[in-house]
Amino acid sequence: GSRNSGGGAAAGKDDGKIVMGFSQVGAESGWRTANTKSVQDSAREAGIELKFSDAQQKQENQIKAIRTFISQKVDIIAFSPVVESGWDTVLKEAKDAGIPVILTDRAVDSPDKTLYKTFIGSDFVVEGTKAGEWVKKEFASAAGPVNMVELQGNTGAAPAIDRKEGFASVLGSDPKFKMLASQPGDFTRVKGKEVMEAFLRANKDIDLLYAHNDDMGLGAIEAIEAAGKKPGVDIKIVTVDAVKDGMQALADGKINFIVECSPLLGPQLMELAKKVVAGETVPERVLTEETTFTQEQAKAALPDRKY
Ligand code: AHR
């Protein structure tokens, strides 16, 4: 039931069904595909009608989708912002229309926290920190310099900014660790491969690759193998996400360590949406729980890995 359909009750269409407009980033990674499935499955299970829109990695498409949801008078809008900045105007429009917004997965940098009800997702800075801590330990007995390259997520995205920051906060001030190159690979396999090829051409001696997600790491593995080197051995690799393909590469020894980022946000999102539509207060931040995986842990987890 969309809003304002008479009677003045919130969520007031006769069937009482909550309508959620969801604007997704795109389908750039295995993580994103699993996230989309989680949102769609949980909406169905929760009896929430989902209007799903794929922005194909473009902010303008997300803004359009949100405006469409507003004109359709949905009960609630949820979205995963492709970049952090530039949301104030459209979020204000939703607020003025009386439609609550939930941020999922990624944050916005709007100073006005009343523009959304809550934000559910990971702490990306902590993820970057975990990656950095693993690198520090892994190279503890190496004389150095440890030559590193970094594949960032799409420019301006919260996970790209925060994972870079978390990693640098552990290793940035240690002269033993040298960041030779750091470039966006847009969270995709294709771009991860392409940028890694350029890194390999420009740098003879790379000891470590830090990729902000598994997919870019998997693309980079292809580039490393094509250059006649052994991923996981000649060049150590640490990534973020822990999707099945990444976990398989970890089990195979081509990736050395993965920091988990859970895409399974659907069930909690639907719970929060119900509360928000019912006018209940919800916590302003809901943190996702996640772990890390070594090769042995990946082997153990793989048979039950759902995504
Ligand atoms: O926002 C989460 C990130 O987006 C995931 O780590 C990455 O795989 C996805 O594209």
Side-chain angles (χ1 to χ4, degrees):
S2 44
R3 298 176 74 83
N4 307 334
S5 43
K13 206 167 79 183
D14 314 322
D15 60 4
K17 211 174 184 190
I18 295 171
V19 177
M20 173 188 283
F22 186 90
S23 169
Q24 181 59 292
V25 170
E28 73 281 6
S29 62
W31 190 99
R32 191 63 55 193
T33 307
N35 179 246
T36 292
K37 187 173 184 306
S38 172
V39 169
Q40 290 173 333
D41 290 352
S42 330
R44 205 174 308 118
E45 277 153 30
I48 291 177
E49 184 185 327
L50 190 70
K51 292 185 185 296
F52 183 89
S53 174
D54 178 336
Q56 303 184 325
Q57 271 100 269
K58 291 205 178 80
Q59 181 172 33
E60 57 189 275
N61 291 345
Q62 287 201 296
I63 292 173
K64 258 191 231 154
I66 293 169
R67 292 203 165 121
T68 302
F69 296 148
I70 294 171
S71 69
Q72 291 171 332
K73 299 185 166 61
V74 299
D75 298 302
I76 188 157
I77 293 170
F79 82 114
S80 176
V82 60
V83 292
E84 268 188 349
S85 301
W87 300 102
D88 295 47
T89 306
V90 72
L91 290 181
K92 182 89 184 4
E93 288 167 21
K95 193 183 172 190
D96 290 345
I99 302 176
V101 172
I102 295 181
L103 302 178
T104 79
D105 160 41
R106 298 182 179 184
V108 298
D109 65 3
S110 306
D112 182 358
K113 305 276 184 260
T114 69
L115 294 177
Y116 52 91
K117 294 290 178 198
T118 180
F119 164 36
I120 172 177
S122 311
D123 186 328
F124 299 133
V125 177
V126 168
E127 291 171 351
T129 305
K130 287 177 183 170
E133 274 158 5
W134 177 81
V135 172
K136 193 160 208 168
K137 263 207 210 129
E138 182 69 12
F139 290 93
S141 58
V146 177
N147 291 325
M148 311 187 294
V149 294
E150 177 177 28
L151 287 168
Q152 304 169 27
N154 63 289
T155 304
I161 296 166
D162 294 352
R163 286 174 187 163
K164 186 176 200 312
E165 181 193 316
F167 191 78
S169 75
V170 179
L171 302 173
S173 58
D174 187 337
K176 183 169 133 182
F177 295 94
K178 273 205 181 138
M179 190 56 83
L180 301 181
S182 177
Q183 295 268 319
D186 296 351
F187 285 126
T188 70
R189 256 181 228 213
V190 173
K191 193 82 192 286
K193 180 177 178 193
E194 199 181 296
V195 177
M196 190 67 202
E197 282 165 358
F199 285 169
L200 287 161
R201 274 196 301 272
N203 305 282
K204 283 217 146 26
D205 191 16
I206 299 172
D207 301 304
L208 177 103
L209 163 66
Y210 169 41
H212 289 187
N213 80 345
D214 290 348
D215 281 90
M216 292 189 292
L218 291 163
I221 285 172
E222 292 176 34
I224 293 168
E225 286 175 337
K229 298 193 176 189
K230 268 191 119 183
V233 180
D234 298 328
I235 299 177
K236 300 255 165 88
I237 303 178
V238 53
T239 63
V240 184
D241 275 357
V243 296
K244 226 180 204 161
D245 290 354
M247 294 283 269
Q248 188 60 57
L250 176 55
D252 295 343
K254 295 185 176 187
I255 291 178
N256 304 84
F257 192 70
I258 301 184
V259 177
E260 184 181 39
C261 176
S262 175
L264 306 180
L265 305 178
Q268 271 177 306
L269 170 61
M270 299 310 150
E271 239 175 76
L272 287 166
K274 283 184 177 173
K275 286 191 179 156
V276 168
V277 171
E280 290 170 36
T281 45
V282 293
E284 64 185 34
R285 179 77 172 95
V286 179
L287 255 186
T288 316
E289 273 179 43
E290 34 213 16
T291 181
T292 58
F293 293 96
T294 61
Q295 182 178 42
E296 289 318 308
Q297 289 165 331
K299 279 182 185 163
L302 256 173
D304 303 319
R305 205 73 181 159
K306 294 276 181 306
Y307 57 90

